[in-house]
């Protein structure tokens, strides 16, 4: 007789609904719950989130099943489960937070009927992106929210929203936070924002050139922090050497103030900063329409630059680097002062 009353296994939809109910319960009743009742509910919630993760990622015994993933994803975004999970994340224990972060990250890649429905949901709920960005100000939540945010930025509409919102300016401060793991995470998100979606980034930089590069130069390239300078000059190279940003690159290398900053970076004691600075400096040298003030700075510093490049070596042999260096030396040697 016992076998007749076995409980039916829960479907992915059931697990999402129960998770949502528990999140609502915890969110609304956190103050009024007794400690034992609260512990029980939180344990149940953690177990559900772990099951969601297991469906999406598979486990040691089985691969994820696409039909189950699609059902889970559809139910998750049908109502406000994502919103609840983001706002209740701080109430979960560390393991449950990690699981929840992985669930949210995976859901950004799940397609239902060939659509990334996470993208549609976030487009209608952009305030959640503001919440994730502000997470960098909370040392306990920053790394979890940072992972979620980077996965959300995979969607072009999300990246465009973040770039066009006032929040993008906050990254210049987050990258300089005194906590290394958080500042590094913010730098990784900033890089993703400025390199993943080429057309969106090119449009953003063209429209916001003046304030963006004023901040980039003063707060990042001229930062007193070595790691900030190293990451910034590498990112600057990635941006300017991308063909999508050709117009922005031409404008950047026509500025004598930008040239001075790069020449200072070339003189750094750090080899890695010098090399990344060289990859940007060579664009100034290669510009066939150099403004007179740029030419005159290069001419005035010609002997110092040629001396620097004569001793400029990298640890492993690199034919392209040597060819670039030879070209830069030729360009500088041939310059004539301009009025």
């Amino acid at each position: 007789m016992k076998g007749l009353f076995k409980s039916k296994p829960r479907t992915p939809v059931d697990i999402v609904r129960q998770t949502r109910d528990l999140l609502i319960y915890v969110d609304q009743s956190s103050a009024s719950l007794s400690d034992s009742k609260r512990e029980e509910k939180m344990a149940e919630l953690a177990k559900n989130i772990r099951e969601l993760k297991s469906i999406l990622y598979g486990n040691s015994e089985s691969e994820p099943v696409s039909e189950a993933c699609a059902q889970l994803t559809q139910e998750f975004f049908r109502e406000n489960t994502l919103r609840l999970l983001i706002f209740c994340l701080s109430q979960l224990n560390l393991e449950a937070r990690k699981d929840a972060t992985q669930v949210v990250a995976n859901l950004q890649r799940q397609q239902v009927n060939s659509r990334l429905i996470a993208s549609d949901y976030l487009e209608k709920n952009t305030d959640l992106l503001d919440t994730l960005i502000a997470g960098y100000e909370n040392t306990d939540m920053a790394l979890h929210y940072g992972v979620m945010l980077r996965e959300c930025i995979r969607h072009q509409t999300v990246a465009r929203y973040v770039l066009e919102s006032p929040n993008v300016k906050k990254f210049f401060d987050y990258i300089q936070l005194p906590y290394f793991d958080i500042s590094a995470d913010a730098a990784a998100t900033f890089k993703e924002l400025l390199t993943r979606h080429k057309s969106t980034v090119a449009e953003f930089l063209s429209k916001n050139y003046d304030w963006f590069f004023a901040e980039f130069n003063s707060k990042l390239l001229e930062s007193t922090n070595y790691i900030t300078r190293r990451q910034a000059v590498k990112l600057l190279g990635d941006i300017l050497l991308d063909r999508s940003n050709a117009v922005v690159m031409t404008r950047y290398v026509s500025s004598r103030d930008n040239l001075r900053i790069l020449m200072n970076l070339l003189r750094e004691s750090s080899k890695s900063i010098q090399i990344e600075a060289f990859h940007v400096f060579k664009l100034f040298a290669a510009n066939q329409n150099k403004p007179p003030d740029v030419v005159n700075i290069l001419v005035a510093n010609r002997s110092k630059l040629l001396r620097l490049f004569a001793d400029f070596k990298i640890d492993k042999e690199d034919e392209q680097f040597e060819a670039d260096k030879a070209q830069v030396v030729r360009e500088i040697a041939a310059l004539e002062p301009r009025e």
Side-chain angles (χ1 to χ4, degrees), residues 281-290 327-328 331:
F281 178 81
K282 70 187 180 189
L283 299 171
F284 286 88
N287 181 10
Q288 295 306 301
N289 298 301
K290 299 178 187 69
Q327 181 62 32
V328 166
E331 292 280 356

Side-chain angles (χ1 to χ4, degrees), residues 137-151:
E137 294 162 33
N138 178 332
T139 50
D140 291 332
M141 304 308 298
L143 299 183
H144 304 296
Y145 279 175
V147 170
M148 290 183 186
L149 182 59
R150 274 194 299 287
E151 287 297 325

Side-chain angles (χ1 to χ4, degrees), residues 81-323:
T81 313
L82 179 63
R83 177 176 295 279
L84 286 162
L85 195 54
I86 287 171
F87 282 107
C88 292
L89 198 68
S90 60
Q91 298 186 53
L92 304 177
N93 65 36
L94 183 59
E95 281 310 307
R97 279 182 202 172
K98 286 181 185 171
D99 288 343
T101 300
Q102 287 184 277
V103 166
V104 172
N106 186 292
L107 286 168
Q108 305 312 311
R109 303 167 189 234
Q110 291 291 340
Q111 296 196 5
V112 177
N113 301 326
S114 305
R115 282 190 68 81
L116 287 164
I117 61 173
S119 177
D120 299 338
Y121 179 86
L122 288 167
E123 224 177 317
K124 297 187 187 88
N125 294 272
T126 52
D127 64 300
L128 291 179
L129 301 164
D130 303 334
T131 299
L132 294 179
I133 294 166
Y136 281 118
E137 294 162 33
N138 178 332
T139 50
D140 291 332
M141 304 308 298
L143 299 183
H144 304 296
Y145 279 175
V147 170
M148 290 183 186
L149 182 59
R150 274 194 299 287
E151 287 297 325
C152 293
I153 288 167
R154 295 172 65 86
H155 311 302
Q156 191 154 6
T157 52
V158 169
R160 185 179 294 115
Y161 169 79
V162 175
L163 285 170
E164 290 175 355
S165 79
N167 284 325
V168 74
K169 294 185 178 181
K170 293 180 180 176
F171 280 94
F172 292 105
D173 298 320
Y174 294 156
I175 288 168
Q176 298 179 84
L177 286 168
Y179 311 101
F180 173 73
D181 52 349
I182 297 174
S183 64
D185 196 278
T189 303
F190 194 55
K191 180 182 177 183
E192 187 76 359
L193 262 179
L194 291 166
T195 53
R196 177 174 275 276
H197 303 287
K198 312 290 187 193
S199 59
T200 299
V201 171
E203 187 186 339
F204 164 76
L205 291 174
S206 295
K207 279 186 190 166
N208 298 277
Y209 180 93
D210 290 327
W211 76 258
F212 179 84
F213 283 108
E215 292 278 285
F216 196 99
N217 288 351
S218 64
K219 289 191 172 172
L220 305 185
L221 289 180
E222 297 183 303
S223 165
T224 53
N225 184 294
Y226 157 74
I227 291 169
T228 302
R229 291 196 307 280
R230 192 184 74 192
Q231 288 174 332
V233 71
K234 169 82 170 75
L235 177 55
L236 180 64
D238 291 343
I239 292 168
L240 298 184
L241 287 158
D242 193 303
R243 286 181 185 173
S244 312
N245 299 322
V247 173
V248 167
M249 182 271 283
T250 303
R251 189 170 172 188
Y252 192 88
V253 301
S254 298
S255 157
R256 76 176 177 192
D257 292 334
N258 295 343
L259 174 59
R260 283 198 178 112
I261 291 169
L262 266 297
M263 283 167 59
N264 284 333
L265 290 167
L266 274 175
R267 291 165 48 209
E268 289 249 0
S269 57
S270 156
K271 199 71 167 178
S272 56
I273 288 183
Q274 277 190 317
I275 289 165
E276 295 303 341
F278 172 75
H279 289 308
V280 178
F281 178 81
K282 70 187 180 189
L283 299 171
F284 286 88
N287 181 10
Q288 295 306 301
N289 298 301
K290 299 178 187 69
D293 54 357
V294 165
V295 172
N296 292 338
I297 288 174
L298 291 172
V299 169
N301 292 275
R302 175 164 28 212
S303 56
K304 286 180 192 168
L305 286 165
L306 295 179
R307 256 199 323 275
L308 172 75
F309 292 134
D311 299 330
F312 199 29
K313 301 276 191 296
I314 54 176
D315 297 335
K316 56 179 187 226
E317 216 170 286
D318 184 330
E319 285 180 19
Q320 185 61 54
F321 176 78
E322 291 301 328

